[in-house]
């Protein structure tokens, strides 16, 4: 995914906000607009955020490897100054990692739905696997009413749909 797309894509936008907070997106845009490393003071001025807020966001982003800094000592004052840069590629990488995990989870869920037959009463006290239903002579362990096979076709369809959505998003990010 191209650099400019990373900051306009809905999935990446919500990811940035989730890991960096509500103002993280505007902060990243300011950093990116400079085409060079920026100081936290510069970012604060541009975003109209407090310097402490800017630092908190940068630290959160740094923790995930999205923001990196250079540290330089001012020989006159003895103070250190930090200049920051945003790794947009890293944002895409993190989401790809996260979404790949999500795909694995959905695939497992799908396998489970396909492999197991569930039973439930009409009152819907909850689904139980075949072994449990058989043990209770196909009467609900909670209310005692007869239990029937649960049709999980809709659930399987829903999981498949979710999978397609995630896989498409992933493809877009990997390009
Ligand atoms: Zn029941």
């Amino acid at each position: 995914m191209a650099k400019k797309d990373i900051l306009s894509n809905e999935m990446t936008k919500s990811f940035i906000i989730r890991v960096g907070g509500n103002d993280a997106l505007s902060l990243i845009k300011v950093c990116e607009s400079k085409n060079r490393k920026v100081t936290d003071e510069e970012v604060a001025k541009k975003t109209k955020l407090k310097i402490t807020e800017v630092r908190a966001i940068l630290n959160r982003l740094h923790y995930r490897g999205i923001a990196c800094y250079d540290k330089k000592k001012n020989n006159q004052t003895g103070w250190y100054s930090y200049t920051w840069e945003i790794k947009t590629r890293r944002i895409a990488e993190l989401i790809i990692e996260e979404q790949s995990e999500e795909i694995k989870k959905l695939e497992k869920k799908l396998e489970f739905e396909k492999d197991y037959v569930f039973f439930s009463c009409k009152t819907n006290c909850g689904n139980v696997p075949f072994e449990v239903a058989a043990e209770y002579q196909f009467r609900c362990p909670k209310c005692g009413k007869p239990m029937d096979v649960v049709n999980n076709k809709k659930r399987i369809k829903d999981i498949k749909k979710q999978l397609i959505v995630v896989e498409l998003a992933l493809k877009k990010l990997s390009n």
Side-chain angles (χ1 to χ4, degrees):
M1 184 176 269
K3 217 171 174 177
K4 64 173 187 2
D5 295 334
I6 287 177
L7 299 181
S8 59
N9 177 280
E10 282 311 314
M11 191 182 232
T12 37
K13 276 205 274 193
S14 67
F15 178 82
I16 290 168
I17 290 169
R18 181 150 51 84
V19 302
N22 277 329
D23 296 311
L25 193 64
S26 51
L27 178 143
I28 288 179
K29 278 183 179 160
V30 165
C31 295
E32 282 298 292
S33 68
K34 293 285 183 191
N35 277 323
R36 58 166 169 82
K37 290 177 181 167
V38 289
T39 63
D40 42 10
E41 285 96 352
E42 274 180 288
V43 178
K45 216 181 251 174
K46 272 268 177 192
T47 53
K48 308 245 186 317
L49 292 166
K50 283 186 204 140
I51 191 92
T52 48
E53 287 169 332
V54 169
R55 283 180 187 148
I57 297 168
L58 284 169
N59 281 332
R60 283 197 290 268
L61 296 175
H62 178 248
Y63 178 73
R64 304 297 292 266
I66 298 168
C68 298
Y69 63 80
D70 266 343
K71 190 171 144 185
K72 268 195 201 106
K73 193 175 179 178
N74 182 322
N75 287 327
Q76 272 151 13
T77 60
W79 291 86
Y80 285 100
S81 72
Y82 295 84
T83 49
W84 292 83
E85 124 182 76
I86 300 295
K87 305 273 184 198
T88 33
R89 273 272 118 217
R90 174 76 182 148
I91 300 171
E93 275 169 27
L94 285 169
I95 304 174
I96 289 169
E97 266 172 39
E98 199 178 79
Q99 294 303 308
S100 306
E101 277 305 306
E102 183 63 22
I103 287 179
K104 270 189 220 153
K105 258 190 234 161
L106 285 170
E107 277 169 350
K108 260 195 199 144
K109 225 165 134 185
L110 193 61
E111 282 307 300
F112 189 78
E113 288 290 345
K114 279 181 177 166
D115 288 350
Y116 287 86
V117 178
F118 289 97
F119 287 78
S120 170
C121 67
K122 286 231 158 29
T123 334
N124 242 327
C125 295
N127 295 348
V128 295
F130 173 82
E131 293 78 13
V132 178
E135 208 177 295
Y136 284 89
Q137 272 103 43
F138 300 96
R139 298 213 158 253
C140 176
K142 281 187 188 138
C143 70
K145 282 183 190 149
M147 287 192 292
D148 230 332
V149 176
V150 176
N151 187 344
N152 63 353
K153 278 208 181 94
K154 192 187 173 299
R155 259 213 308 269
I156 289 179
K157 222 171 141 185
D158 285 346
I159 298 171
K160 280 186 179 164
K161 260 192 221 157
Q162 279 177 300
L163 259 173
I164 291 171
V165 171
V166 179
E167 277 166 351
L168 270 177
L170 201 58
K171 217 172 154 189
K172 224 171 150 187
L173 281 167
S174 310
N175 277 340

